Amino acid sequence: MTSSDPRAQRRGRILALVGIVLLAFSLRSAVASLSPLFDAIGEEFTLPAAVLGLIGTVPPLCFAVFGLLASGFERRFGLERTALVALGAVGVGLIARAAATDAYGLLLGSAVIFAGVGVGNVLLPALVKKYFPDRIGLLTTVYSTMMAISTFTPPLVAVPIADAAGWRTSLGLWAVFALAGLAPWIVLAVRARRAAAAAAADGDLERVSTRVFARLWRLPTAWALAVTFFVSSAVAYTSFAWLPKILVD
């Protein structure tokens, strides 16, 4: 990210850091916070095994589909606005899931979450490259650590919170982080749009990171990584869905 004003650049990097951290946190907490509550939710309405299976095993497919679509979204709307929409989808899905009155409402809310997570997974490295080109290793470590923390924290606290305040509160609590993460991306999206308009007015048509994903379709390594991550994700999210219930049983 470049700017003629060092203070503006520093503020932009701080906003980007906050946005990246909250985005990374929301991508995993949204998924890991549900499965420990299946028994509590089942006391209020029926949860068919087929629905539980879909919630547990569909995430990798959604991540693959929406991860591929992310390149088109990024080219059309820009990194910041795409990140904003992805994080907003996660927040809306979390709220919808907490307000669900039947298993299909729970499934619908989860599908919205998975769509946002699928896009967000692809955007994180590109956002780090754009805003922290001199700190890629450090920022990759930061968001990876945050994703790890947000994977194991929700299962630890989901049931105690549900016992104290109900399962809806336990599920909806994580929307706070997603909604808080919208603020920096709103500011950064406005700045990026103004910068693009100014560049167009000056006749400078260069767009940073506009085609950041365009070459991926032609790279065998990208496809190999996609298959690898699909398999590992399928195993991981199946475990997220069923291990807590197996342990409770």
Side-chain angles (χ1 to χ4, degrees):
M1 189 184 78
T2 60
S3 174
S4 58
D5 184 349
R7 288 179 298 179
Q9 182 180 14
R10 186 162 51 250
R11 288 194 296 268
R13 284 164 68 99
I14 291 172
L15 284 172
L17 175 60
V18 174
I20 288 170
V21 167
L22 290 174
L23 176 59
F25 186 90
S26 298
L27 293 183
R28 291 297 176 268
S29 61
V31 178
S33 58
L34 176 60
S35 55
L37 300 175
F38 282 155
D39 286 342
I41 298 171
E43 294 176 0
E44 184 167 331
F45 52 79
T46 302
L47 290 175
V51 172
L52 295 182
L54 283 173
I55 291 174
T57 57
V58 164
L61 180 60
C62 288
F63 296 168
V65 171
F66 286 94
L68 291 173
L69 292 175
S71 62
F73 297 153
E74 186 272 340
R75 288 196 298 271
R76 176 66 179 84
F77 302 109
L79 276 172
E80 294 79 8
R81 281 193 286 176
T82 305
L84 179 62
V85 172
L87 195 53
V90 172
V92 169
L94 283 166
I95 294 171
R97 195 164 66 177
T101 57
D102 56 31
Y104 300 102
L106 199 69
L107 180 61
L108 179 61
S110 296
V112 174
I113 291 171
F114 298 154
V117 173
V119 174
N121 284 337
V122 176
L123 293 182
L124 274 174
L127 290 167
V128 168
K129 184 176 181 180
K130 178 175 181 178
Y131 285 94
F132 301 93
D134 56 334
R135 296 288 189 275
I136 291 177
L138 175 61
L139 267 294
T140 300
T141 301
V142 168
Y143 83 67
S144 299
T145 301
M146 187 56 60
M147 292 173 80
I149 292 172
S150 62
T151 297
F152 72 73
T153 300
L156 289 177
V157 301
V159 174
I161 293 176
D163 290 341
W167 67 265
R168 296 183 187 278
T169 300
S170 183
L171 276 183
L173 171 66
W174 307 103
V176 172
F177 297 94
L179 297 178
L182 296 178
W185 292 119
I186 290 173
V187 176
L188 290 170
V190 170
R191 289 185 177 183
R193 188 170 185 178
R194 289 175 178 171
D202 293 339
D204 181 5
L205 300 180
E206 180 183 0
R207 294 181 59 196
V208 176
S209 196
T210 300
R211 298 286 180 174
V212 70
F213 303 117
R215 293 185 302 155
L216 293 182
W217 295 95
R218 300 191 297 272
L219 297 177
T221 301
W223 285 102
L225 287 171
V227 172
T228 300
F229 281 114
F230 177 81
V231 173
S232 63
S233 295
V235 174
Y237 285 99
T238 300
S239 300
F240 290 164
W242 295 110
L243 277 181
K245 185 169 180 59
I246 290 171
L247 290 172
V248 170
D249 291 344

